[in-house]
Amino acid sequence: MAQSDSYEDVVKGKRDEKFAEFEDERKGLIHRFHHALHVTPALVPLIVLVMSIIIFGALLDSKFFSPFALTLILQQVQIVGIVAAAQSLVILTAGIDLSVGAITVLSSVVMGQFAFRYGLPPSVAVVCGLIVGTACGGLNGLLVSRMKLPPFIVTLGTWQVLLATNYLYSQNETIRSQDIEAEAPLLQLMGAKFQIGGAVFTVGVVFMIVLMLILAWVLKHTAWGRHVYAVGDDPEAAQLSGVNVRRTLMSVYMLSGLICAFAGWALIGRIGSVSPTSAYEANIESITAVVIGGISLFGGRGSILGALFGALIVGVFTLGLRLLGADAQWTYFFIGVLIIAAVAVDQWIRKVSA
């Protein structure tokens, strides 16, 4: 009887041991998955983007997989993508910029007005628009870094101020596409198209992709990039470790303003005209792309390439649902679901990696 009990204990022990090994293996796989998501934040939006393309491609057959359709998505999201790059830099420092749309449209208006109202050469007008955008970002940076005001409140205020300035300065006048083509075609440079096979690209699309790649490299491989992440993660610890937090924040907001000014130039190329009422949704759309792209709203974590993937996800859903003949409200529905899911995933990753 004792031998029987001993045999059962041995069998039970082996069974428990195998179960424990299975549990450890399962936990190991989950841990590796968590680690991969933590180390590569852009992995989640990339997976969602690929799955979205596959699903819509299966539903729409050859319509969606054509080079023209796929590059059309890039053309549609180029403004949002460029503005999202600016928004990403600010959010990585644990801030938020609600004025990106206003800076974008004001910069485009300055370019147009300087070329047509004051008769400056188009190249000079473009440079003036870029300077104005940088100055607007510098104003935000000054209020946030020097006066220690909350970024949300600061940019909410400058958003209203810049929008009012835009309308007052432009007098709500639109500079027509025909006039720009005849007298200042440089303003429409970002909208110039070229074809590779069946794919149609614009200069603005190329600029967006190159900008994202450069910023991704700078953030990962330079001291300035590490300082941006450090400030977003813990500004006090960053200060104690020798990082000039004020200078880093100032540079981030100024660079954000400059990128928005380039978005304003691309906006002229995209719509063909200079309109003071354009890009009014850029604020929300850029934040949407950043959040879906896996960049944490709490700062210090995320990849700027994720913002590009986030913008492309929105573009895929918009075009895919339109080709399916669905109501436009379904686009907002699914994008809203993706935003909530992205924030939930970010919280999950933070909790696991803590």
Side-chain angles (χ1 to χ4, degrees):
M1 191 72 177
Q3 288 182 347
S4 175
D5 291 341
S6 177
Y7 175 75
E8 288 179 0
D9 290 341
V10 170
V11 171
K12 182 180 179 183
K14 289 183 177 180
R15 197 175 294 158
D16 291 342
E17 184 179 346
K18 289 181 180 180
F19 181 76
E21 289 177 357
F22 173 76
E23 283 292 313
D24 290 340
E25 183 179 354
R26 190 180 68 172
K27 289 180 179 179
L29 289 173
I30 295 174
H31 177 74
R32 285 197 294 270
F33 181 62
H34 289 165
H35 181 71
L37 295 181
H38 181 71
V39 174
T40 314
L43 186 60
V44 173
L46 178 59
I47 293 172
V48 174
L49 176 61
V50 172
M51 290 179 61
S52 302
I53 293 175
I54 292 173
I55 291 171
F56 281 113
L59 293 174
L60 295 165
D61 198 19
S62 59
K63 289 183 182 178
F64 200 77
F65 281 127
S66 66
F68 176 78
L70 294 177
T71 50
L72 179 61
I73 294 172
L74 287 170
Q75 293 181 40
Q76 291 176 340
V77 304
Q78 60 181 316
I79 307 302
V80 175
I82 297 172
V83 177
Q87 188 73 261
S88 298
L89 293 174
V90 176
I91 290 180
L92 283 174
T93 63
I96 195 167
D97 193 345
L98 300 178
S99 66
V100 288
I103 296 175
T104 298
V105 67
L106 178 61
S107 300
S108 69
V109 165
V110 167
M111 293 177 189
Q113 293 295 334
F114 275 40
F116 286 87
R117 182 184 295 182
Y118 306 127
L120 294 177
S123 57
V124 176
V126 169
V127 172
C128 290
L130 297 178
I131 292 173
V132 168
T134 306
C136 292
L139 175 62
N140 287 333
L142 185 66
L143 294 173
V144 171
S145 64
R146 299 290 177 178
M147 299 186 66
K148 305 291 185 182
L149 299 179
F152 181 87
I153 302 301
V154 167
T155 56
L156 178 64
T158 54
W159 170 41
Q160 299 290 341
V161 170
L162 295 177
L163 275 183
T165 303
N166 164 52
Y167 292 131
L168 292 171
Y169 177 66
S170 66
Q171 299 175 355
N172 283 339
E173 294 180 355
T174 298
I175 301 175
R176 299 182 306 168
S177 176
Q178 299 90 330
D179 296 333
I180 297 176
E181 290 178 4
E183 301 181 35
L186 179 65
L187 296 182
Q188 295 178 336
L189 175 64
M190 291 284 197
K193 295 181 179 180
F194 60 94
Q195 192 167 342
I196 302 177
V200 180
F201 297 92
T202 65
V203 175
V205 167
V206 175
F207 176 81
M208 174 188 69
I209 295 173
V210 172
L211 172 67
M212 288 289 192
L213 293 175
I214 291 175
L215 288 177
W217 185 89
V218 169
L219 287 170
K220 187 174 182 180
H221 297 286
T222 67
W224 180 82
R226 290 190 289 271
H227 292 173
V228 170
Y229 280 102
V231 170
D233 189 48
D234 191 336
E236 294 182 359
Q239 186 75 48
L240 292 173
S241 64
V243 176
N244 191 323
V245 174
R246 288 184 177 181
R247 185 183 301 170
T248 301
L249 286 173
M250 192 71 185
S251 63
V252 163
Y253 280 93
M254 290 183 69
L255 181 56
S256 173
L258 176 61
I259 294 172
C260 288
F262 273 108
W265 189 10
L267 179 65
I268 299 175
R270 175 64 182 162
I271 65 177
S273 60
V274 177
S275 173
T277 60
S278 57
Y280 64 94
E281 291 183 341
N283 297 340
I284 299 300
E285 290 176 344
S286 66
I287 296 172
T288 299
V290 170
V291 172
I292 294 177
I295 297 178
S296 176
L297 290 174
F298 299 98
R301 199 186 71 82
S303 169
I304 201 165
L305 290 178
L308 175 60
F309 298 148
L312 290 173
I313 289 170
V314 175
V316 167
F317 270 85
T318 302
L319 181 61
L321 291 173
R322 186 183 303 167
L323 291 175
L324 286 171
D327 191 292
Q329 301 305 320
W330 282 107
T331 303
Y332 297 107
F333 175 85
F334 285 115
I335 297 304
V337 171
L338 285 174
I339 291 173
I340 296 172
V343 174
V345 169
D346 174 64
Q347 290 291 313
W348 176 59
I349 294 172
R350 279 182 169 271
K351 182 178 180 180
V352 171
S353 60

